[in-house]
PDB file of all heavy atoms in Angstrom:
ATOM      1  N   THR A 188      29.007 -22.236  -9.569  1.00  0.00           N
ATOM      2  CA  THR A 188      30.467 -22.128  -9.644  1.00  0.00           C
ATOM      3  C   THR A 188      31.039 -23.338 -10.382  1.00  0.00           C
ATOM      4  O   THR A 188      31.939 -23.211 -11.229  1.00  0.00           O
ATOM      5  CB  THR A 188      31.072 -22.074  -8.223  1.00  0.00           C
ATOM      6  OG1 THR A 188      30.306 -21.149  -7.473  1.00  0.00           O
ATOM      7  CG2 THR A 188      32.505 -21.635  -8.248  1.00  0.00           C
ATOM      8  N   TYR A 189      30.471 -24.527 -10.096  1.00  0.00           N
ATOM      9  CA  TYR A 189      30.905 -25.729 -10.787  1.00  0.00           C
ATOM     10  C   TYR A 189      30.676 -25.564 -12.295  1.00  0.00           C
ATOM     11  O   TYR A 189      31.550 -25.826 -13.109  1.00  0.00           O
ATOM     12  CB  TYR A 189      30.134 -26.941 -10.251  1.00  0.00           C
ATOM     13  CG  TYR A 189      30.425 -28.216 -11.002  1.00  0.00           C
ATOM     14  CD1 TYR A 189      31.583 -28.954 -10.727  1.00  0.00           C
ATOM     15  CD2 TYR A 189      29.562 -28.668 -11.994  1.00  0.00           C
ATOM     16  CE1 TYR A 189      31.858 -30.103 -11.431  1.00  0.00           C
ATOM     17  CE2 TYR A 189      29.836 -29.824 -12.702  1.00  0.00           C
ATOM     18  CZ  TYR A 189      30.993 -30.541 -12.414  1.00  0.00           C
ATOM     19  OH  TYR A 189      31.272 -31.679 -13.123  1.00  0.00           O
ATOM     20  N   LEU A 190      29.500 -25.065 -12.640  1.00  0.00           N
ATOM     21  CA  LEU A 190      29.164 -24.897 -14.054  1.00  0.00           C
ATOM     22  C   LEU A 190      30.155 -23.979 -14.761  1.00  0.00           C
ATOM     23  O   LEU A 190      30.620 -24.270 -15.864  1.00  0.00           O
ATOM     24  CB  LEU A 190      27.745 -24.317 -14.169  1.00  0.00           C
ATOM     25  CG  LEU A 190      27.270 -24.036 -15.589  1.00  0.00           C
ATOM     26  CD1 LEU A 190      26.220 -25.037 -15.967  1.00  0.00           C
ATOM     27  CD2 LEU A 190      26.729 -22.626 -15.738  1.00  0.00           C
ATOM     28  N   VAL A 191      30.502 -22.894 -14.109  1.00  0.00           N
ATOM     29  CA  VAL A 191      31.378 -21.922 -14.771  1.00  0.00           C
ATOM     30  C   VAL A 191      32.821 -22.409 -14.829  1.00  0.00           C
ATOM     31  O   VAL A 191      33.522 -22.203 -15.812  1.00  0.00           O
ATOM     32  CB  VAL A 191      31.296 -20.553 -14.060  1.00  0.00           C
ATOM     33  CG1 VAL A 191      32.329 -19.584 -14.609  1.00  0.00           C
ATOM     34  CG2 VAL A 191      29.916 -19.965 -14.237  1.00  0.00           C
ATOM     35  N   THR A 192      33.274 -23.098 -13.767  1.00  0.00           N
ATOM     36  CA  THR A 192      34.696 -23.446 -13.735  1.00  0.00           C
ATOM     37  C   THR A 192      35.003 -24.818 -14.321  1.00  0.00           C
ATOM     38  O   THR A 192      36.111 -25.054 -14.781  1.00  0.00           O
ATOM     39  CB  THR A 192      35.238 -23.406 -12.290  1.00  0.00           C
ATOM     40  OG1 THR A 192      34.374 -24.209 -11.481  1.00  0.00           O
ATOM     41  CG2 THR A 192      35.274 -21.998 -11.751  1.00  0.00           C
ATOM     42  N   LYS A 193      34.016 -25.752 -14.318  1.00  0.00           N
ATOM     43  CA  LYS A 193      34.381 -27.124 -14.653  1.00  0.00           C
ATOM     44  C   LYS A 193      33.737 -27.672 -15.936  1.00  0.00           C
ATOM     45  O   LYS A 193      34.152 -28.703 -16.429  1.00  0.00           O
ATOM     46  CB  LYS A 193      34.008 -28.066 -13.481  1.00  0.00           C
ATOM     47  CG  LYS A 193      34.738 -27.766 -12.178  1.00  0.00           C
ATOM     48  CD  LYS A 193      36.105 -28.429 -12.165  1.00  0.00           C
ATOM     49  CE  LYS A 193      36.777 -28.426 -10.824  1.00  0.00           C
ATOM     50  NZ  LYS A 193      37.223 -27.192 -10.256  1.00  0.00           N
ATOM     51  N   THR A 194      32.714 -27.025 -16.460  1.00  0.00           N
ATOM     52  CA  THR A 194      32.018 -27.624 -17.612  1.00  0.00           C
ATOM     53  C   THR A 194      32.445 -26.951 -18.919  1.00  0.00           C
ATOM     54  O   THR A 194      32.976 -25.830 -18.913  1.00  0.00           O
ATOM     55  CB  THR A 194      30.498 -27.466 -17.464  1.00  0.00           C
ATOM     56  OG1 THR A 194      30.207 -26.060 -17.472  1.00  0.00           O
ATOM     57  CG2 THR A 194      29.987 -28.090 -16.185  1.00  0.00           C
ATOM     58  N   PRO A 195      32.205 -27.641 -20.060  1.00  0.00           N
ATOM     59  CA  PRO A 195      32.531 -27.029 -21.362  1.00  0.00           C
ATOM     60  C   PRO A 195      31.779 -25.708 -21.567  1.00  0.00           C
ATOM     61  O   PRO A 195      32.342 -24.750 -22.094  1.00  0.00           O
ATOM     62  CB  PRO A 195      32.059 -28.073 -22.373  1.00  0.00           C
ATOM     63  CG  PRO A 195      31.974 -29.351 -21.621  1.00  0.00           C
ATOM     64  CD  PRO A 195      31.710 -29.015 -20.201  1.00  0.00           C
ATOM     65  N   LEU A 196      30.506 -25.660 -21.119  1.00  0.00           N
ATOM     66  CA  LEU A 196      29.744 -24.423 -21.276  1.00  0.00           C
ATOM     67  C   LEU A 196      30.415 -23.292 -20.505  1.00  0.00           C
ATOM     68  O   LEU A 196      30.566 -22.176 -21.012  1.00  0.00           O
ATOM     69  CB  LEU A 196      28.308 -24.614 -20.783  1.00  0.00           C
ATOM     70  CG  LEU A 196      27.473 -23.335 -20.725  1.00  0.00           C
ATOM     71  CD1 LEU A 196      27.269 -22.744 -22.110  1.00  0.00           C
ATOM     72  CD2 LEU A 196      26.131 -23.573 -20.048  1.00  0.00           C
ATOM     73  N   GLY A 197      30.866 -23.611 -19.293  1.00  0.00           N
ATOM     74  CA  GLY A 197      31.537 -22.605 -18.472  1.00  0.00           C
ATOM     75  C   GLY A 197      32.802 -22.113 -19.148  1.00  0.00           C
ATOM     76  O   GLY A 197      33.103 -20.914 -19.145  1.00  0.00           O
ATOM     77  N   ARG A 198      33.518 -23.054 -19.747  1.00  0.00           N
ATOM     78  CA  ARG A 198      34.751 -22.669 -20.438  1.00  0.00           C
ATOM     79  C   ARG A 198      34.424 -21.727 -21.596  1.00  0.00           C
ATOM     80  O   ARG A 198      35.072 -20.701 -21.794  1.00  0.00           O
ATOM     81  CB  ARG A 198      35.461 -23.921 -20.946  1.00  0.00           C
ATOM     82  CG  ARG A 198      36.932 -23.696 -21.260  1.00  0.00           C
ATOM     83  CD  ARG A 198      37.728 -24.989 -21.204  1.00  0.00           C
ATOM     84  NE  ARG A 198      37.125 -26.038 -22.015  1.00  0.00           N
ATOM     85  CZ  ARG A 198      36.818 -27.253 -21.554  1.00  0.00           C
ATOM     86  NH1 ARG A 198      37.046 -27.568 -20.310  1.00  0.00           N
ATOM     87  NH2 ARG A 198      36.264 -28.148 -22.363  1.00  0.00           N
ATOM     88  N   ALA A 199      33.374 -22.087 -22.338  1.00  0.00           N
ATOM     89  CA  ALA A 199      32.963 -21.229 -23.455  1.00  0.00           C
ATOM     90  C   ALA A 199      32.570 -19.844 -22.948  1.00  0.00           C
ATOM     91  O   ALA A 199      32.928 -18.821 -23.544  1.00  0.00           O
ATOM     92  CB  ALA A 199      31.795 -21.877 -24.196  1.00  0.00           C
TER      93      ALA A 199
END
Side-chain angles (χ1 to χ4, degrees):
Chain A
T188 314
Y189 175 80
L190 178 109
V191 172
T192 52
K193 298 276 192 292
T194 63
L196 172 64
R198 199 157 52 234

